[in-house]
Amino acid sequence: MDWQTRLAQSTLTTRIILVTAACWLLVAVLGLERWAYGFGGFIPLRFDEGFTIPGALPAVLTPLSATLLHADAMHLAFNMLLMFVCGRGVEQALGSRGLIALYIVGAYVAALGHFLFNTESAGPMIGASGAVSAIIGAYALLYSKPRNGVGGWRHVASLAGAWIVIQLLIGLTTYGSPAPVAIMAHIFGFGAGLLMARPLLMWRYRDV
């Protein structure tokens, strides 16, 4: 079986991982990191009409293009490991259309979260963390079991609260570093996953 056939038969989760890894590898091998971050990174200040980057992608597309850019191999590996672990389960439950909807909406909601708290930032946000956070949020809701009789929206709130605490702790450990973690992107992405999981599940099985 050749590689084209294997790719065609792979899951959407695997294809997202392969495409993301290929984009990072291409940029790294060619030494185009600085150009790529300006070309496709999510830069909040670009939504100010007075700030432009000649030749860059339209700003409205950068929440997606940013998911293909990573700072280094460890950044890529961490995000893709989480995507592999959680993406397969989410894809099995919601199907490939549900997974891609989560990934795309998660990327945009994560970018919105980052924008709201960094409107004057000219630094590019890169990485698939926000989109992957949406996948993790959906996975947590779909596969975790309510405890002590706590279910429904209280269960959702408990999951969201735990994720927010984790992200705030991560933010404290990277505070003041040259490349701080975009914790609000993670929080907003995770929230999108929580909110979309059940509607997407119902949508998939609406005709069953």
Side-chain angles (χ1 to χ4, degrees):
M1 185 182 296
D2 57 29
W3 69 269
Q4 293 98 331
T5 304
R6 289 181 181 274
L7 182 61
Q9 294 180 352
S10 63
T11 64
L12 179 60
T13 300
T14 302
R15 277 176 273 177
I16 290 173
I17 293 171
L18 291 175
V19 169
T20 305
C23 287
W24 172 82
L25 183 61
L26 180 64
V27 169
V29 168
L30 296 178
L32 295 175
E33 289 90 349
R34 292 188 65 182
W35 171 84
Y37 298 162
F39 175 79
F42 178 76
I43 301 174
L45 198 55
R46 286 193 63 196
F47 291 88
D48 184 329
E49 293 181 359
F51 183 87
T52 59
I53 299 179
L57 279 177
V60 71
L61 297 179
T62 56
L64 283 179
S65 58
T67 67
L68 301 173
L69 304 172
H70 287 81
D72 51 39
M74 287 299 296
H75 187 201
L76 172 74
F78 182 72
N79 280 338
M80 294 303 99
L81 176 61
L82 291 174
M83 183 66 191
F84 178 74
V85 171
C86 298
R88 294 180 302 161
V90 171
E91 185 174 0
Q92 183 178 12
L94 303 182
S96 59
R97 289 187 295 177
L99 179 72
I100 197 63
L102 268 175
Y103 199 82
I104 293 173
V105 173
Y108 275 92
V109 173
L112 174 62
H114 182 70
F115 174 83
L116 291 176
F117 290 85
N118 300 274
T119 55
E120 301 299 320
S121 175
M125 182 185 75
I126 58 171
S129 303
V132 172
S133 292
I135 303 300
I136 296 172
Y139 183 88
L141 185 63
L142 292 168
Y143 291 99
S144 65
K145 294 182 179 180
R147 297 181 179 179
N148 300 322
V150 176
W153 286 108
R154 287 186 296 171
H155 180 51
V156 173
S158 67
L159 292 173
W163 183 256
I164 290 171
V165 170
I166 291 171
Q167 295 306 313
L168 291 177
L169 290 174
I170 292 173
L172 287 175
T173 63
T174 61
Y175 180 76
S177 68
V181 175
I183 58 172
M184 296 312 300
H186 297 180
I187 291 172
F188 272 63
F190 186 84
L194 286 179
L195 293 174
M196 292 178 65
R198 285 179 178 167
L200 285 173
L201 188 65
M202 294 173 64
W203 176 63
R204 184 185 186 191
Y205 294 105
R206 65 194 185 282
D207 296 325
V208 176

